[in-house]
């Protein structure tokens, strides 16, 4: 890499990037080198030792060759000089065959020692640890035989490589043991392989079977811990949890097949039925051909005839008698294994499940566990296995995972509802704050609902829903016309739609855990060969999940109502302290919005009803798909085809009660405002006020007969309509009611409004009459009393109220008393003349007012 070329071709920043990349590559290569050296350090040391031995062996060979050359030279010189060679062969002719046989046997044994390392490595690479163990024990036996031979020193002299070869082979014991322990820490291992590993450990370590069993349990516990030390990615969490279940079930089954033994009682007494471990030990240590270590190919070689019979007949053996593991120890250690597993799993799996953010993910993991256990042929007799090993029946899913999954489902539900509640609160707070901006046109329908109700739009009847039957339509899908019929304003619809969308996603997510798309009841046969065997009922928790769902939904609605109550209380405080009419109107609009949302949330959020009333196993569409013929919560009672649900009924009642309370605040404010204006105008005795409130009177010609019998014609004037302030009162009342959505206001609210308003009106008249009687202000002349009498009769006939018996009687007494006091201020003769005409005008005015004011 030319530095000058770099500076000519790239900028300073690019060169710095190149420098960083180069340094990074250098560090990476150094790290790779360190790892390679660390991994190959042992082989490097062995290779160095071997090279050193080879060097010394080569030097020894060179020295021996030089000696041979010297001997040959001496022999040549002796022959050339004619001196006879000493005859040494005669004395040893008789011992030469025996010496040759021993040397041949030692040579064959040494050759076997030279070949065994390669065979052991091949066996270890193939995972055949038992074969590797037997080969190691055979090599140890060969070395021992050669060492304890009478001519061991001579053999060592002839074959100096023997010691070095054994030095190479003796390291295999540690390697084999480490490989066996490492293999026992794997998750998926067969029973046969486990048996061979344990037999290898027994032969190499001279353990008792009880000690080997304890070590096996320890290795499996370490395997559980290793499972949770992996990287926690989405793809790993599923396999980690599934592997834990597989490890526990396979370990319990391996304890049964490898260590458990059955006691059979017959006429000869109790006998022990050998397990897999005892059978394998017997096969390995037996003297028959089945336990032979050398293969037929090895034995067929010509050199094998010189091999010692003791080596040919060698079989591994144990120092201790291999007795079966006592049943009590087996049970205690198995229960200890299960207890420790559950402790580790409870701690680690809870952390893993914390990364699962959806109930669908939990259901997927649960189904994976179900499929794994379903396809495991060993699970068919699981009941017998767990009963024999643990002394009780064990369901791995129910006792290990089920509770943690349910807790996580509960946490997810609570988290979703809390998020939905936070979103709803923030949106409602924004709308309430927007009421303070009079230029915000998006809230014009919230300020005057009648402008929305009586305005036609293309969305009143959706085209795709126009010709459907009524019983198939849902309220939320009925178009604007149905919304107008229930007085649900656009903002109310939008707020409830947000709630419904969140609950729809939550219910869809929850249905993955409580419903099964494959068949009824959730018992779908897997693809394995186990017939109709079911590891566990994976849909058995849907009632619990449904209870979680209903409880979380109920708590969320209660919290929302608590927030509404706080907002309502704050609005009440503002109403009490605020004297500005425009400010009070803003506060009242906020209160009405809260009441409408509370009354509409059940009707416009069908998934809220589904959360509270969906039946277990029922499809979600069946719970919310049918039309529910309900009157608005702000309009009265509800009726549904679905079974009664106590929680849903209570929730509806709470929402309806809050809606009633909010509308009651509106009615009280309306009564206060109207009554105060009415009272101020009524009690204003100034000439200007009296003249401005006067209306047109009717001139009626009457003919009367005098005492003399003469008929006298005269003209009388009688009121023909109510005072202007009375008509203003009724108009403002009707305007306020229609602006709020008169057809959807609760009857109790309207009734209470009429009662309070009429009480206040009568109170104003009573106060007026009392002040007139005391002499304060202008007196009530006959004409004004006639107008007041007409006004009172007109108001009481228009503002009808239906009270309870006692309250109605009390109100009637007050009403009649006012009329009597007004009549007492009118000339009796004149009142008798005026009365028929007053009644006629009163009836006519009632008819006109009902048509004009929609009363």
């Amino acid at each position: 890499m030319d530095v000058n070329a770099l500076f000519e071709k790239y900028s300073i920043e690019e060169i710095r990037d190149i420098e960083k990349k180069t340094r990074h590559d250098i560090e990476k290569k150094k790290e790779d080198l360190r790892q390679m050296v660390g991994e190959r350090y042992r082989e490097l040391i062995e290779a160095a030792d071997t090279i050193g031995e080879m060097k010394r062996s080569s030097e020894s060979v060179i020295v021996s060759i030089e000696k041979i050359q010297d001997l040959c030279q001496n022999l040549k010189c002796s022959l050339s000089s004619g001196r006879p060679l000493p005859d040494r062969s005669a004395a040893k002719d008789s011992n030469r065959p025996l010496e040759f046989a021993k040397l041949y046997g030692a040579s064959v044994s040494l050759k076997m020692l030279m070949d065994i390392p390669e065979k052991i490595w091949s066996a270890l690479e193939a995972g055949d640890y038992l074969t590797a163990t037997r080969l190691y024990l055979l090599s140890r036996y060969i070395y021992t035989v050669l060492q304890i031979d009478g001519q061991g020193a001579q053999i060592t002299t002839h074959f100096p490589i023997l010691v070095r070869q054994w030095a190479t082979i003796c390291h295999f014991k540690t390697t084999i043991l480490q490989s066996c322990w490492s293999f026992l820490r794997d998750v998926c291992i067969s029973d046969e392989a486990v048996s061979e590993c344990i037999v290898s450990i027994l032969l190499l370590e001279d353990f008792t079977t009880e000690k080997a069993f304890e070590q096996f349990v320890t290795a499996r516990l370490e395997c559980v811990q290793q499972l949770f030390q992996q990287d926690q990615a989405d793809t790993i969490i599923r396999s980690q949890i599934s592997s834990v279940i597989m490890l526990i079930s396979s370990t319990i089954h391996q304890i049964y097949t490898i260590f458990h033994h059955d006691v059979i009682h017959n006429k000869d007494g109790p006998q022990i039925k050998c397990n897999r471990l005892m059978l394998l030990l017997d096969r390995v240590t037996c003297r028959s051909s089945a336990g032979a270590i050398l293969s037929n190919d090895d034995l067929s070689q010509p050199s094998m005839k010189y091999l010692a019979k003791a080596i040919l007949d060698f079989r591994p053996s144990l120092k201790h008698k291999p007795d079966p593991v006592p049943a009590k120890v087996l049970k205690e250690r198995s229960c200890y294994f299960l207890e420790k597993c559950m402790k580790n799993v409870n701690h680690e799996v809870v952390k893993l499940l914390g990364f699962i953010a959806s109930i669908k993910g939990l259901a997927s993991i649960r189904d994976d566990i179900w499929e794994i256990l379903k396809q495991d042929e060993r699970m068919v007799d699981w009941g017998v296995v767990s009963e024999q090993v643990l002394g009780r029946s064990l369901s791995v899913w129910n006792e290990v995972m089920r509770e943690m999954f349910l807790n996580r489902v509960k946490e997810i539900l609570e988290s979703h509802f809390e998020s939905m509640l936070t979103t709803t609160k923030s949106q409602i707070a924004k709308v309430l704050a927007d009421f303070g901006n009079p230029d915000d046109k998006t809230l014009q329908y919230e300020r005057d609902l009648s402008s929305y109700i009586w305005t036609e739009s293309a969305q009143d009847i959706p085209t795709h829903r126009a010709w459907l039957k009524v019983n198939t339509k849902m309220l939320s899908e009925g178009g604007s016309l149905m919304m107008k019929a229930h007085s649900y304003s656009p903002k109310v619809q939008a707020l409830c739609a947000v709630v419904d969308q969140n609950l729809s996603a939550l219910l869809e997510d929850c249905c993955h855990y409580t419903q099964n798309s494959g068949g009824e009841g959730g018992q779908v046969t897997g693809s394995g060969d186990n017939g109709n065997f079911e590891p566990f009922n994976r849909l058995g928790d849907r009632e619990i999940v449904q209870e979680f769902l209903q409880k979380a939904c109920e708590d969320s609605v209660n919290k929302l109502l608590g927030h509404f109550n706080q907002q309502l209380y704050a609005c009440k405080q503002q109403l009490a302290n605020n004297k500005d009419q425009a400010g009070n109107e803003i506060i009242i609009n906020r209160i009405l919005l809260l009441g409408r949302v509370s009354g509409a949330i059940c009707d416009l959020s069908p998934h809220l009803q589904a959360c509270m009333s969906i039946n277990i196993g029922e499809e979600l569409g069946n719970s919310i798909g049918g039309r529910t013929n309900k009157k608005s919560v702000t309009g009265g009672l509800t009726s549904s085809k679905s079974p009664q649900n106590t929680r849903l009924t209570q929730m509806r009642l709470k929402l309806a009660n809050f809606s009633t309370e909010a509308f009651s605040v509106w009615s009280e404010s309306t009564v206060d405002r109207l009554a105060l204006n009415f009272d101020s105008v009524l009690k204003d005795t100034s000439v200007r006020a009296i003249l401005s409130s006067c209306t047109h009177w009717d001139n009626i010609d009457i003919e009367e007969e005098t005492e003399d019998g003469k008929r006298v014609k005269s003209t009388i004037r009688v009121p023909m309509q109510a005072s202007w302030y009375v008509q203003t009162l009724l108009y403002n009342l009707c305007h306020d009611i229609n602006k709020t959505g008169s057809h959807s206001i609760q009857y109790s609210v309207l009734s209470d409004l009429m009662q309070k308003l009429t009480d206040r009106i009568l109170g104003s008249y009573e106060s007026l009459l009392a002040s007139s009687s005391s002499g304060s202000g202008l007196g009530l002349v006959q004409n004004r009393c006639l107008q007041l009498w007409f006004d009172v009769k007109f108001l009481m006939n228009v503002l009808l109220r239906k009270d309870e018996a006692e309250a109605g009687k009390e109100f009637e007494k007050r009403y009649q008393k006012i009329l009597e006091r007004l009549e007492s201020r009118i000339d009796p003769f004149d009142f008798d003349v005026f009365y028929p005409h007053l009644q006629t005008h009163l009836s006519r005015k009632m008819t006109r007012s009902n048509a004009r004011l929609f009363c």
Side-chain angles (χ1 to χ4, degrees):
M1 183 179 296
D2 188 2
V3 178
N4 295 329
L6 284 176
F7 278 94
E8 292 175 358
K9 187 176 181 181
Y10 299 104
S11 64
I12 299 298
E13 293 298 330
E14 292 175 342
I15 292 174
R16 286 176 179 172
D17 293 339
I18 294 173
E19 180 189 10
K20 291 179 181 179
K21 183 178 178 182
T22 305
R23 291 183 182 276
H24 177 72
D25 293 340
I26 292 172
E27 292 298 327
K28 185 177 179 181
K29 295 296 183 182
K30 288 182 179 180
E31 183 64 25
D32 293 341
L33 181 60
R34 293 191 196 100
Q35 292 180 359
M36 182 182 69
V37 172
E39 292 173 355
R40 300 298 180 183
Y41 182 73
R42 183 174 177 179
E43 288 82 353
L44 182 63
I45 296 300
E46 292 181 357
D49 293 342
T50 304
I51 292 172
E53 292 294 334
M54 291 174 63
K55 180 180 179 181
R56 289 189 292 272
S57 178
S58 300
E59 292 175 351
S60 176
V61 170
I62 292 172
V63 171
S64 299
I65 292 175
E66 291 177 352
K67 289 182 179 180
I68 293 174
Q69 288 178 347
D70 293 339
L71 290 174
C72 291
Q73 186 65 30
N74 293 333
L75 179 61
K76 183 177 180 181
C77 292
S78 299
L79 292 175
S80 60
S81 61
R83 289 182 294 176
L85 294 174
D87 188 7
R88 300 177 180 177
S89 59
K92 298 182 180 181
D93 285 342
S94 58
N95 296 329
R96 189 171 296 174
L98 181 59
E99 293 177 359
F100 286 164
K102 290 182 178 181
L103 288 175
Y104 291 160
S107 300
V108 174
S109 300
L110 182 60
K111 184 178 184 304
M112 289 185 64
L113 287 178
M114 300 294 292
D115 295 339
I116 281 177
E118 183 179 355
K119 294 180 179 180
I120 292 178
W121 279 120
S122 299
L124 289 175
E125 291 176 357
D128 191 357
Y129 304 113
L130 181 58
T131 300
T133 300
R134 296 171 71 189
L135 289 172
Y136 168 77
L137 294 176
L138 176 61
S139 63
R140 187 177 68 178
Y141 182 75
I142 293 173
Y143 178 74
T144 304
V145 169
L146 292 177
Q147 286 294 320
I148 65 175
D149 192 356
Q151 297 181 354
Q154 183 180 359
I155 291 177
T156 305
T157 303
H158 287 299
F159 305 103
I161 198 174
L162 175 63
V163 177
R164 294 192 298 272
Q165 185 65 17
W166 171 246
T168 302
I169 295 175
C170 67
H171 297 296
F172 278 109
K173 178 180 179 180
T174 304
T175 304
I176 295 172
L177 286 173
Q178 290 178 351
S179 299
C180 289
W181 290 124
S182 178
F183 182 78
L184 291 178
R185 296 187 187 97
D186 288 342
V187 177
C188 299
I189 48 179
S190 63
D191 298 350
E192 182 66 29
V194 172
S195 302
E196 293 181 355
C197 279
I198 295 175
V199 169
S200 298
I201 294 171
L202 285 172
L203 295 174
L204 293 174
E205 296 283 10
D206 288 325
F207 283 166
T208 61
T209 53
E210 183 176 342
K211 178 68 174 177
F213 173 62
E214 293 179 356
Q215 294 296 320
F216 169 73
V217 171
T218 302
R220 301 307 283 169
L221 288 174
E222 292 175 358
C223 179
V224 174
Q225 296 175 354
Q226 289 177 359
L227 282 175
F228 298 112
Q229 295 176 357
Q230 306 176 20
D231 294 334
Q232 295 175 350
D234 290 340
T235 55
I236 297 298
I237 293 176
R238 179 194 302 264
S239 62
Q240 281 179 313
I241 297 177
S242 301
S243 298
V244 169
I245 291 292
M246 196 63 192
L247 187 147
I248 294 175
S249 60
S250 62
T251 301
I252 297 296
H253 194 277
Q254 287 164 0
I255 291 174
Y256 175 77
T257 58
I258 297 173
F259 296 98
H260 180 266
H261 60 277
D262 296 325
V263 179
I264 303 174
H265 298 275
N266 51 29
K267 61 182 181 179
D268 298 330
Q271 294 183 354
I272 296 177
K273 182 181 179 181
C274 294
N275 49 40
R276 186 188 293 269
L277 178 62
M278 302 303 294
L279 292 174
L280 184 58
L281 273 174
D282 183 67
R283 180 169 63 85
V284 170
T285 58
C286 70
R287 293 293 177 177
S288 64
S289 58
I293 299 176
L294 298 176
S295 63
N296 293 331
D297 293 337
D298 293 333
L299 295 175
S300 63
Q301 295 181 7
S303 59
M304 286 298 169
K305 65 181 180 180
Y306 297 104
L307 191 63
K309 189 174 185 303
I311 297 176
L312 291 173
D313 297 338
F314 171 76
R315 300 292 185 273
S317 62
L318 295 173
K319 294 180 180 179
H320 307 281
K321 181 181 178 181
D323 295 325
V325 180
K328 182 179 179 180
V329 175
L330 193 74
K331 180 179 178 181
E332 290 177 353
R333 297 300 297 178
S334 299
C335 293
Y336 170 78
F337 165 77
L338 184 61
E339 180 183 352
K340 293 292 289 183
C341 278
M342 292 180 65
K343 183 177 180 180
N344 292 333
V345 167
N346 289 341
H347 178 68
E348 298 293 340
V349 172
V350 167
K351 294 195 297 185
L352 290 178
L353 293 181
F355 293 96
I356 307 297
S358 65
I359 300 177
K360 180 180 179 181
L362 295 176
S364 177
I365 296 176
R366 179 203 60 187
D367 293 342
D368 282 352
I369 294 174
W370 190 88
E371 289 293 342
I372 289 173
L373 296 178
K374 171 75 176 179
Q375 297 175 3
D376 190 356
E377 297 179 356
R378 298 176 297 185
M379 296 301 295
V380 176
D381 58 347
W382 176 253
V384 177
V385 171
S386 60
E387 190 70 35
Q388 292 291 335
V389 173
L390 301 171
R392 63 183 180 87
S393 180
L394 171 69
S395 174
V396 181
W397 166 258
N398 291 335
E399 296 191 24
V400 180
M401 293 292 178
R402 178 171 175 262
E403 193 67 27
M404 290 181 288
F405 272 68
L406 288 178
N407 290 337
R408 183 55 185 162
V409 168
K410 184 177 180 180
E411 291 175 0
I412 292 175
L413 289 176
E414 292 175 349
S415 175
H416 276 278
F417 276 107
E418 191 65 30
S419 175
M420 180 200 70
L421 185 62
T422 302
T423 303
T424 305
K425 286 181 180 180
S426 63
Q427 291 184 346
I428 291 177
K430 182 179 183 302
V431 176
L432 294 179
D434 290 342
F435 275 113
N437 182 12
D439 297 329
D440 191 349
K441 301 300 182 182
T442 60
L443 296 177
Q444 59 176 341
Y445 293 148
E446 310 303 320
R447 299 186 179 97
D448 186 0
L449 192 58
S450 60
S451 61
Y452 170 67
I453 294 175
W454 299 108
T455 301
E456 294 185 0
S457 67
Q459 290 78 30
D460 283 346
I461 301 178
T463 306
H464 67 286
R465 307 285 294 179
W467 303 107
L468 296 179
K469 295 181 179 179
V470 176
N471 58 359
T472 63
K473 293 182 180 180
M474 292 178 60
L475 179 61
S476 57
E477 299 176 351
S480 299
L481 189 59
M482 294 187 72
M483 299 296 105
K484 294 173 182 177
H486 290 80
S487 298
Y488 294 153
S489 61
K491 283 295 181 182
V492 172
Q493 297 175 38
L495 292 172
C496 294
V498 172
V499 175
D500 190 59
Q501 290 173 3
N502 290 330
L503 292 177
S504 173
L506 179 60
L507 272 177
E508 183 179 357
D509 190 26
C510 193
C511 285
H512 289 94
Y513 205 92
T514 59
Q515 296 180 11
N516 184 16
S517 60
E520 296 293 332
Q523 302 296 326
V524 181
T525 303
S527 59
D529 300 329
N530 297 341
N532 294 324
F533 166 71
E534 301 295 336
F536 59 88
N537 184 7
R538 51 180 163 177
L539 301 184
D541 297 327
R542 54 187 174 186
E543 292 185 1
I544 300 176
V545 174
Q546 175 64 20
E547 178 66 22
F548 288 163
L549 182 63
Q550 292 182 356
K551 184 65 170 59
C553 183
E554 184 179 15
D555 292 343
S556 180
V557 172
N558 290 335
K559 291 179 181 179
L560 185 61
L561 280 175
H563 178 70
F564 285 174
N565 283 316
Q566 292 177 359
Q567 295 290 334
L568 182 60
Y569 177 77
C571 290
K572 286 181 179 179
Q573 295 296 109
Q574 294 173 8
L575 277 177
N577 300 326
N578 188 19
K579 303 302 181 182
D580 180 38
Q581 182 64 33
N584 286 343
E585 185 176 355
I586 293 174
I587 298 172
I588 289 298
N589 287 331
R590 292 172 177 172
I591 293 175
L592 289 175
L593 177 72
L594 294 175
R596 288 171 187 150
V597 172
S598 177
I601 193 169
C602 275
D603 290 341
L604 298 185
S605 300
H607 292 91
L608 178 63
Q609 302 180 51
C611 287
M612 299 297 296
S613 62
I614 185 172
N615 294 327
I616 303 302
E618 181 183 12
E619 293 295 334
L620 178 61
N622 294 336
S623 296
I624 64 174
R627 182 179 183 266
T628 51
N629 291 325
K630 301 182 182 69
K631 192 178 179 181
S632 169
V633 178
T634 61
L637 300 176
T638 61
S639 62
S640 175
K641 296 181 181 180
S642 61
Q644 291 296 327
N645 183 292
T646 304
R647 282 182 170 172
L648 178 60
T649 304
Q650 292 177 351
M651 183 183 72
R652 280 183 165 276
L653 183 60
K654 291 178 182 179
L655 292 169
N657 289 339
F658 176 82
S659 179
T660 302
E661 183 180 359
F663 275 86
S664 296
V665 175
W666 161 80
S667 69
E668 291 175 2
S669 175
T670 301
V671 169
D672 288 341
R673 178 169 50 83
L674 295 177
L676 285 175
N677 293 335
F678 179 80
D679 186 72
S680 63
V681 177
L682 179 65
K683 294 180 179 180
D684 191 352
T685 57
S686 64
V687 175
R688 181 182 182 86
I690 294 175
L691 290 176
S692 64
S693 63
C694 290
T695 58
H696 179 69
W697 284 35
D698 190 14
N699 295 322
I700 302 174
D701 295 329
I702 62 173
E703 184 176 350
E704 298 176 313
E705 185 176 353
T706 64
E707 294 179 356
D708 300 337
K710 296 180 180 180
R711 305 189 68 81
V712 179
K713 293 183 179 181
S714 62
T715 301
I716 62 173
R717 299 177 70 249
V718 295
M720 61 181 299
Q721 59 183 357
S723 300
W724 289 120
Y725 58 84
V726 172
Q727 297 186 54
T728 302
L729 169 70
L730 294 177
Y731 176 81
N732 290 335
L733 176 63
C734 292
H735 179 266
D736 288 345
I737 293 176
N738 286 319
K739 186 173 68 172
T740 310
S742 58
H743 59 285
S744 62
I745 301 177
Q746 302 95 317
Y747 175 78
S748 61
V749 174
L750 290 177
S751 178
D752 184 64
L753 185 148
M754 292 302 176
Q755 292 177 17
K756 292 180 179 179
L757 183 60
T758 52
D759 286 339
R760 295 284 295 274
I761 290 173
L762 289 184
S764 297
Y765 281 108
E766 290 172 345
S767 177
L768 176 65
L769 292 173
S771 63
S772 176
S773 299
S774 65
S776 60
L778 295 176
L780 293 177
V781 296
Q782 177 172 306
N783 284 346
R784 191 176 183 201
C785 288
L786 281 174
Q787 183 66 55
L788 291 175
W789 186 91
F790 187 92
D791 292 343
V792 172
K793 290 284 289 185
F794 174 72
L795 282 172
M796 295 305 106
N797 286 330
V798 171
L799 301 177
L800 294 176
R801 51 182 282 173
K802 296 181 180 180
D803 298 329
E804 297 178 357
E806 295 298 329
K809 290 179 181 180
E810 183 64 27
F811 176 78
E812 188 65 24
K813 288 180 181 180
R814 293 177 61 193
Y815 166 57
Q816 292 298 333
K817 187 176 180 180
I818 292 173
L819 292 179
E820 290 173 359
R821 293 179 66 179
L822 289 173
E823 291 173 5
S824 68
R825 296 173 182 268
I826 303 173
D827 183 81
F829 176 78
D830 291 344
F831 187 75
D832 290 339
V833 175
F834 295 158
Y835 185 76
H837 303 290
L838 289 172
Q839 289 288 12
T840 300
H841 288 308
L842 185 63
S843 176
R844 187 180 300 143
K845 181 62 177 177
M846 286 285 300
T847 304
R848 292 173 181 174
S849 297
N850 288 337
R852 185 182 302 116
L853 300 176
F854 302 100
C855 294

